[in-house]
Amino acid sequence: MEALCAATMRALSGERELHYRARRIFHGQRPLPRWAPHLHPPLASTTDFTVFRGAADGIALRLSLSDAALHQRIIEAATAQGHLQEPAERMLFEVFEQLRVEALASHAFAPHAHALPGVRHNLTRCFEAWSLAFHAAGHTATARGLLVYCIVQMVRARLTGEPAVEPDEGLLEATRASLGPALGVPLAGLRRHVHDQAAYAPHARAIARHVAQMLANATEADGEGGAALRNAIDEDSEEEDDSAAVAFNLWIEPPDPKPASTEERAALAASGKSPLLEAPGERYRIFTTAYDREAAATSLARKAQLEQLRAELDARIEAARLNLAHIARNFQALLARPAVEGWQGALEEGRIDGAHLARLITSPTERRLFRSERIESRADTLITLLIDCSGSMREHAPHVAVLADVLARALEMAGVAVEVLGFTTGAWSGGRAARDWQRAGRPRHPGRLNEALHIVFKAAETPWRRARLGMAALLKGELFREGIDGEAVGWALARQGEWENSHSGGSLHPGDPGGQRRLLIVLSDGSPMDSATHQANHRHYLDHQLREVVARAERQGARVFGLGVGLDLSPYYSRCHVLDLAAGTEMGSFRELMEMLGRRARR
């Protein structure tokens, strides 16, 4: 549903970077503001696809018919004059601008726009669904909720010519009668200047200011519904679907003039800059590498334990009922490239085959004297799955193990080289490296203080059948300690470089860059974390280094993806996706993964 709605938004607005992430709409890496509450229907509340299409169409109209720069200048000028500073006034002004662009697609102002009748229908259905849900949630039972509901209905009815949505007969009559005399002139101005954004704004601002003042003077005795409405401005930390009050509240965050600082409601990886690494001449340090090691997963557990874990993993995969052949075919279609696989001879057209020229003498009527290159699809690609084996990932380990094992098998069936790696630490709280630092007198800013452990669950050259026991080690909880992500990403990229050098003789289609052949997927549920390193340096020391490693790799043409387990990793990876494994590993998980890889050419 989200994929289809995002496609319609891109088609209608002409903005190629629109997509959904964690139920929020993004333009590239920037989350779009929540311009109006009806544009964000709760995903779990309805199965009416038209509602979501209407929300997508409304957002596309806002992007294409509203001048964002002019809108921001109007807000800044009003703020300088002391207007649009109250949350309610700002919220209403945003809603009125949204209703203006939606009205431009209505019959009242576009009677000949026969090409978009579905858009008008979708917009109407979306707004009606929100109106009925808001009423069902009990918000119209409060003086504040009824007042705002009434003015939104009045403005929309005046702009579009469509009747207001009244769930109960006579619900809006008294409120509408009290607002009419005071707002008649600006309401008429809205309709008169609906095509002129600058001329429309003063009338919208006047209505928003008047209603905001009425809200401020409204009685505090509104009951629970009114309390929920008043407190909804502070609900940014809550999930989208926690309650009806959150799902249908009117209070929305104002658009941020600085998109880079906009926070989304979806869980976002905490990140920051380290003053130690920003200082001139400073670089990332490692106190000691004496205890670092790279180990095969099979060497980290007894064979009997691995066999037991393998049986458990096989049972989980069987219970998941995944269509392995279907997944393999989809990856083959996604990753295959045309490659020259020798010559095809004895053809009646093509290039002359010198080996058969003698047939012109022996058999003058012979026409099969030509040959041509045989082109076949070949997935000459390496995909590396780098798994965060920090302590917080332990609860996700069963689902991650199923995902990694099925992915490795499917990619191998598709002819794709696949490597499954992991990273953790050899000990908690620094281990022997931290003890060496303490014995050295605790010098300042020692850099990374722990024993880095890099695990090879499956090497690129190892067939899945021989790596079965190693993959089962993902279920061993004792491996999950702390995580030093930046160094692990560099290690995985170095292994990819070695694979590229050993396969440099591969015959890809001309013009296909070698960097396209190597894809690194980092599967993680949080920021880099090593307690000893944080305490001795700075709490953002490791994630600062991770951002630098990823940025440097991307500048060099590497394809690095961040696959967050219930977390948005966009502070670190420009190509990322949020994966929900709460319900287990399903076919949808692989579809999402393929969709992320399919966007690999776009940041």
Side-chain angles (χ1 to χ4, degrees), residues 21 24-33 259 262-264:
R21 185 194 304 164
R24 185 78 182 266
I25 301 166
F26 278 68
H27 185 278
Q29 297 300 316
R30 175 175 62 91
L32 292 183
T262 304
E263 294 184 359
E264 54 176 311

Side-chain angles (χ1 to χ4, degrees), residues 210-224:
H210 181 83
V211 175
Q213 185 60 45
M214 293 180 67
L215 287 171
N217 297 333
T219 175
E220 297 291 334
D222 278 341
E224 294 182 0

Side-chain angles (χ1 to χ4, degrees), residues 110-405:
H112 303 295
H114 300 300
L116 298 176
V119 171
R120 293 193 291 266
H121 172 72
N122 295 339
L123 292 172
T124 300
R125 180 69 189 93
C126 178
F127 186 80
E128 288 177 350
W130 170 80
S131 300
L132 295 174
F134 185 86
H135 175 72
H139 297 317
T140 53
T142 70
R144 293 168 181 265
L146 182 59
L147 174 60
V148 181
Y149 181 86
C150 181
I151 191 60
V152 171
Q153 296 290 337
M154 288 176 66
V155 169
R156 187 178 185 277
R158 184 63 63 94
L159 291 174
T160 64
E162 299 176 4
V165 181
E166 293 193 65
D168 294 334
E169 186 177 355
L171 174 67
L172 304 180
E173 184 176 352
T175 308
R176 188 160 42 202
S178 65
L179 291 173
L183 299 180
V185 173
L187 282 172
L190 292 183
R191 182 177 176 85
R192 186 168 59 251
H193 297 293
V194 69
H195 289 284
D196 188 340
Q197 184 176 348
Y200 176 93
H203 301 287
R205 195 175 64 213
I207 297 174
R209 184 169 62 250
H210 181 83
V211 175
Q213 185 60 45
M214 293 180 67
L215 287 171
N217 297 333
T219 175
E220 297 291 334
D222 278 341
E224 294 182 0
L229 186 63
R230 290 191 300 274
N231 294 331
I233 192 66
D234 299 322
E235 290 170 343
D236 286 349
S237 61
E238 300 186 31
E239 294 293 331
E240 288 277 355
D241 301 317
D242 281 350
S243 66
V246 177
F248 306 122
N249 75 80
L250 275 172
W251 305 101
I252 56 176
E253 76 243 53
D256 195 331
K258 298 178 180 179
S261 63
T262 304
E263 294 184 359
E264 54 176 311
R265 289 193 181 191
L268 188 69
S271 178
K273 297 182 179 180
S274 170
L276 300 180
L277 294 178
E278 287 193 316
E282 285 295 327
R283 57 180 177 81
Y284 179 75
R285 301 177 184 177
I286 302 174
F287 182 73
T288 179
T289 60
Y291 310 108
D292 297 350
R293 61 181 177 136
E294 176 183 320
T298 51
S299 68
L300 301 176
R302 293 176 292 105
K303 184 177 181 180
Q305 183 184 19
L306 289 176
E307 290 175 346
Q308 180 181 357
L309 294 176
R310 184 66 233 184
E312 179 184 344
L313 179 55
D314 288 339
R316 290 182 177 275
I317 294 174
E318 183 178 357
R321 298 184 179 277
L322 299 170
N323 190 333
L324 182 63
H326 181 71
I327 296 172
R329 285 195 301 270
N330 286 340
F331 272 110
Q332 168 73 22
L334 176 68
L335 299 171
R337 295 285 188 274
V340 177
E341 295 287 350
W343 293 87
Q344 183 176 1
L347 301 177
E348 294 188 358
E349 61 181 7
R351 300 181 182 181
I352 295 177
D353 189 348
H356 294 163
L357 285 178
R359 292 184 182 179
L360 285 175
I361 307 300
T362 60
S363 183
T365 60
E366 178 64 58
R367 299 176 55 87
R368 293 174 298 175
L369 304 173
F370 302 90
R371 68 174 184 170
S372 66
E373 292 179 334
R374 186 172 67 251
I375 306 296
E376 294 185 0
S377 294
R378 224 174 73 192
D380 193 5
T381 304
L382 170 64
I383 291 183
T384 300
L385 183 63
L386 179 62
I387 301 173
D388 176 9
C389 295
S390 59
S392 60
M393 282 286 286
R394 186 179 302 170
E395 63 176 299
H396 306 297
H399 303 319
V400 169
V402 172
L403 177 72
D405 192 79

